[in-house]
Amino acid sequence: TTTTTTTSLLPSPPSPTTPPLMCAAEEKQHILWPATPAGLAAVVSCPVGVALRTCCGPGVTQPGCPTARHGQWLTVDMNNCTDPAAEETLEQLANSTTWLTSQPSTALELLANVSSSVAMTPAMLSTVVNMTEHVLSIGVNASSSSSNSGLTAAMRKSAATVTNAILQQGNGNNNGNNNNNN
């Protein structure tokens, strides 16, 4: 007689009394991520392309996904997700340095609106950071001259909104720093 032994390379299914590990549904970077089984990635459509987010679990070999993190979200991958309207707005602002210089308060308000209302790719984040730095330097330089009041309360508020949006979205692009409590 011949005996055959079969070994599965897949993780054993959970027992009927143990619910499978899941990453909870949540909104992150202006995207509603569905509940996703551990070890799989959620794929969400963007205006153009897709965004990805992996739920840490068996079979995931990404950094930041040890066994202790199974059932927790990893980072949001926005590299293939774009919003043409937001990109066009940022491009127009970036190509309009005269306008940025002459209307810094309005420029910061637009940057705040764009950065806090759409999911941004790393390239878009970089553009927002550079433009915000440029506009703020104009305000700081103006405050040192006696003819201009420099940074107004509205400019400071818009800069804070931009900064918070950049930090929130930037944290979504740092590997291993997110969990399902964020």
Side-chain angles (χ1 to χ4, degrees):
T1 3
T2 305
T3 306
T4 306
T5 305
T6 307
T7 305
S8 173
L9 298 176
L10 299 174
S12 16
S15 70
T17 58
T18 306
L21 283 173
M22 299 282 289
C23 287
E26 71 176 13
E27 184 177 341
K28 183 80 170 178
Q29 289 189 245
H30 306 287
I31 296 174
L32 181 58
W33 296 95
T36 301
L40 298 179
V43 179
V44 178
S45 294
C46 297
V48 175
V50 295
L52 301 170
R53 193 169 186 205
T54 301
C55 180
C56 207
V60 176
T61 58
Q62 292 181 347
C65 190
T67 303
R69 289 211 52 207
H70 286 185
Q72 295 181 2
W73 286 112
L74 289 181
T75 62
V76 176
D77 180 353
M78 300 297 293
N79 289 315
N80 295 314
C81 176
T82 60
D83 183 336
E87 286 181 338
E88 183 178 336
T89 299
L90 288 176
E91 186 177 323
Q92 288 173 353
L93 282 171
N95 292 331
S96 180
T97 55
T98 304
W99 186 79
L100 288 173
T101 305
S102 66
Q103 301 290 325
S105 183
T106 305
L108 276 175
E109 188 177 332
L110 281 170
L111 287 169
N113 288 340
V114 169
S115 63
S116 65
S117 64
V118 298
M120 292 192 292
T121 65
M124 291 172 72
L125 279 170
S126 177
T127 300
V128 168
V129 167
N130 290 335
M131 288 190 299
T132 302
E133 180 181 39
H134 176 74
V135 172
L136 289 175
S137 70
I138 293 165
V140 169
N141 290 337
S143 66
S144 63
S145 75
S146 59
S147 64
N148 198 322
S149 61
L151 293 177
T152 65
M155 289 175 74
R156 285 191 292 275
K157 181 179 179 186
S158 293
T161 300
V162 170
T163 302
N164 288 335
I166 289 168
L167 290 173
Q168 179 185 4
Q169 294 196 37
N171 285 339
N173 289 313
N174 292 330
N175 285 335
N177 290 338
N178 290 333
N179 61 38
N180 58 359
N181 296 323
N182 286 342

